[in-house]
Amino acid sequence: MTKVLVATDKPFAAIAVKGIREVVEGAGYELALLEKYTDKSQLLDAVKDANAVIIRSDIIDAPVLDAAKELKIVVRAGAGYDNVDLAAATAHNVCVMNTPGQNSNAVAELVFGMLVYAVRNFYNGTSGTELMGKKLGILAYGNVGRNVARIAKGFGMDVYAYDAFCPADVIEKDGVKAVASTADLFKTCQIVSLHIPATAETKGSINFELMSSMPKGAIVVNTARKEVIDEAGLAKMMEERPDFKYITDIKPAIDADLTAKYPDRYFGTPKKMGAQTAEANINAGIAAAKQIVDFLQNGNEKFRVNK
Ligand code: 3PG
């Protein structure tokens, strides 16, 4: 029988697993679950007889693909697929997909949860500021960036965006001001929200030069990937700009140091929380299950990310 494995170190909400099970079993397949695994050997063992795998930020690398002799498809229930070795998957003749847009509202809402926390001085009782009227810069205008823009307008913010792959007129149709470069975005906006993927081009790209060009009272909020930050540059910025706050859903390697030195200007969620809502889990998890069924039954490769 065709076996679909859900391998999630960070489990989906139970209601999402129920929905995934209904789709998988409804297609006549078997569902296996590997949640909160503590050792890679458990994943290597679980993938052995799986024909399809649904993952989140779980690492799918060459050793996993080597162990998964029956594997045809991996679906990353979510947007970013930097955790999957695409070249190795292609070499193993495994199709890799993501589920774009399915968890983006959840991530966008967390941006504002963290921003209110930051501008109210981490709820320490002192007078903070408001978001209304502040310039918000959105770096990358994809599914999350668009949701951030929509919510920001509700807060009465002055919204700017830059996306190397999205034309200015598309951005401006949403009532968002398009700027010409990442550098312009940082120079213009007191608050910048990052929504770029971790790629060879973006890794370490958010550096001291960019951050130090931000206006006074600057805040960078990162719900994207920790790799996009130049951590030495971040450390320097925290040290040299006492007005600067960094709030993140993905802790940098220097988390303990920043927490100790700047408890009133640095905050990292204990675990990556952006997509941790029942709605996002249901949307992304069930989309992943449906994509697997459609691929195995009809060969539909619409959301394939490895060519
Ligand atoms: C994504 O790329 O979809 C988000 O970063 C969510 O990741 P997660 O599924 O590991 O929470």
Side-chain angles (χ1 to χ4, degrees), residues 39-107:
D39 197 272
K40 188 162 179 177
S41 62
Q42 295 169 270
L43 178 61
L44 293 175
D45 196 46
V47 295
K48 265 186 197 147
D49 57 351
N51 304 103
V53 178
I54 296 174
I55 52 157
R56 297 185 63 179
S57 291
D58 308 79
I59 307 290
I60 301 294
D61 55 12
V64 175
L65 292 157
D66 285 341
K69 300 274 181 254
E70 310 299 326
L71 192 61
K72 301 265 174 297
I73 176 167
V74 173
V75 182
R76 193 283 191 242
Y81 44 86
D82 47 307
N83 49 319
V84 181
D85 184 336
L86 295 187
T90 303
H92 284 78
N93 207 16
V94 170
C95 172
V96 182
M97 295 185 186
N98 66 350
T99 64
Q102 300 290 352
N103 59 18
S104 45
N105 181 64
V107 179

Side-chain angles (χ1 to χ4, degrees), residues 10-58:
K10 186 172 57 186
F12 291 122
I15 189 171
V17 176
K18 187 170 172 279
I20 294 169
R21 183 178 296 282
E22 279 166 12
V23 173
V24 169
E25 293 182 351
Y29 305 156
E30 180 190 343
L31 186 82
L33 268 185
L34 174 70
E35 295 180 323
K36 289 190 189 169
Y37 49 95
T38 48
D39 197 272
K40 188 162 179 177
S41 62
Q42 295 169 270
L43 178 61
L44 293 175
D45 196 46
V47 295
K48 265 186 197 147
D49 57 351
N51 304 103
V53 178
I54 296 174
I55 52 157
R56 297 185 63 179
S57 291
D58 308 79

